[in-house]
């Protein structure tokens, strides 16, 4: 097949979900080209090739698997972020439009109140379900760290053994095999730690939908019926909403500055995979905080519109 190690580690060539021995064998010739002193193209003992194939499986193919799944997890995350924006902006605006048309009959018993309750209940339920689903796909922070560590093992092996005259002078094939075995053990420990972390944080992919709808509906109805605008409280509600809008805008501005700084730091460290991964986790956390601030600001705009209705 002639696959290239650097290409699959960068995500250029996609390996399958199964890190098989057959795939490792396809990469063996490329490994031999990179380490010709200890893995010659011909006449190499089967025992050395066996360890080399195992090394490819545990270090290189595992790193490639994480790279592939990081990209997939990002696509899932971006999809849900886009869905949240549509839900959190589109549905509340539609409900506000409905409320303004029926503002002449503001009372808990009017039909539009039930429609607002239903709409907001669905929004909140979808958000809680989406948060749970996104948690299951927020693995790429840990995957970044594991992939970076596995790549470090590979680059250490390459720098140590590709030039025997300068880096491994006086060492033989036996030392080379022992180093590969130590790297294999280290790679297995990294993957084991990542898998253990995953299972420790694993939750059900979907929450109890009926329970969410039931409890959320009661809370939303109470919130709406208890806070229908009247002549005595409308001004106070509007002032409070304006203060909240200003506060959340300040938070957004501060987070934008932090995101800009982190993006610049990440761009200045293209060769440091561990640092890039750490900064990416920081960016992901800042993005979630910003999304929460934007959501709170949108809610405050809704309160302001309701106060003036």
């Amino acid at each position: 097949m002639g696959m290239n190690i650097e290409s699959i580690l960068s995500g250029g060539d996609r390996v399958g979900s199964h890190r098989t021995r057959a795939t490792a064998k396809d990469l063996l010739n490329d490994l031999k080209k990179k380490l010709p002193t200890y893995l010659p193209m011909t006449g190499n003992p089967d025992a050395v090739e066996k360890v080399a194939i195992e090394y490819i499986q545990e270090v290189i193919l595992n790193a490639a698997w994480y790279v592939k799944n990081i990209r997939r997890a990002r696509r899932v995350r971006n999809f849900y972020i886009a869905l949240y924006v549509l839900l959190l902006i589109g549905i509340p605006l539609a409900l506000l439009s409905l409320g303004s048309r029926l503002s002449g009959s503001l009372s808990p018993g009017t039909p539009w109140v039930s429609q607002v309750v239903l709409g907001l209940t669905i929004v909140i339920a979808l958000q809680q379900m989406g948060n749970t689903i996104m948690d299951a796909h927020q693995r790429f922070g840990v995957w970044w760290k594991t992939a970076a560590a596995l790549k470090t093992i590979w680059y250490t092996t390459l720098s140590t053994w590709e030039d025997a005259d300068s880096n491994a002078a006086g060492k033989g094939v036996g030392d080379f095999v022992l180093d590969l075995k130590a790297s294999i053990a280290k790679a297995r420990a990294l993957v084991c730690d990542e898998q253990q972390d995953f299972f420790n944080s694993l939750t059900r992919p979907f929450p109890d939908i009926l329970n969410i709808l039931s409890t959320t509906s009661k809370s939303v109805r109470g919130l709406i019926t208890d806070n229908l605008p009247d002549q005595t409280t409308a001004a106070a509600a509007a002032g409070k909403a304006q203060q909240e809008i200003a506060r959340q805008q300040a938070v957004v501005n501060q987070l934008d500055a932090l995101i800009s700084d982190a993006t610049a730091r990440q761009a200045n460290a293209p060769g440091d995979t561990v640092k890039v991964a750490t900064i990416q986790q920081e960016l992901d956390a800042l993005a979630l905080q910003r999304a929460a601030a934007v959501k709170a600001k949108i809610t405050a705009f809704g309160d302001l519109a309701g106060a003036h209705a």
Side-chain angles (χ1 to χ4, degrees), residues 223-238:
L223 179 64
I224 292 175
T225 56
D226 291 343
N227 293 277
L228 286 173
D230 56 41
Q231 297 299 320
T232 60
T233 62

Side-chain angles (χ1 to χ4, degrees), residues 11 33 158 166 259:
K33 292 177 183 178
L158 194 62
S166 60
I259 290 172

Side-chain angles (χ1 to χ4, degrees), residues 15 44 74 241 252:
V15 296
N44 199 56
R74 277 179 171 171
V252 170

Side-chain angles (χ1 to χ4, degrees), residues 17 67 81 129 150 156 163 169 195 197 229 243 265-266 269 278 282 290:
S17 58
V67 170
I81 289 176
M129 289 171 59
L150 290 170
T156 300
D163 186 356
Q195 290 175 343
D197 179 76
Q243 291 177 0
R265 285 188 284 113
Q266 189 182 58
T278 301
E282 179 183 346
R290 190 185 188 282

Side-chain angles (χ1 to χ4, degrees), residues 6-70:
E6 297 302 330
S7 181
I8 69 167
L9 287 180
S10 65
D13 288 339
R14 302 301 178 87
V15 296
S17 58
H18 300 289
R19 289 142 280 180
T20 63
R21 184 177 180 84
T23 305
K25 284 184 177 180
D26 288 331
L27 289 167
L28 181 60
N29 282 338
D30 189 48
L31 184 63
K32 287 181 176 181
K33 292 177 183 178
K34 289 177 170 59
L35 306 174
T37 302
Y38 301 95
L39 280 171
M41 298 299 290
T42 59
N44 199 56
D46 290 341
V48 179
E49 285 197 1
K50 181 179 179 181
V51 175
I53 290 172
E54 187 177 5
Y55 174 90
I56 294 172
Q57 281 184 278
E58 299 295 339
V59 178
I60 296 171
L61 292 183
N62 271 332
W65 183 90
Y66 284 113
V67 170
K68 181 188 71 172
N69 281 276
I70 286 169

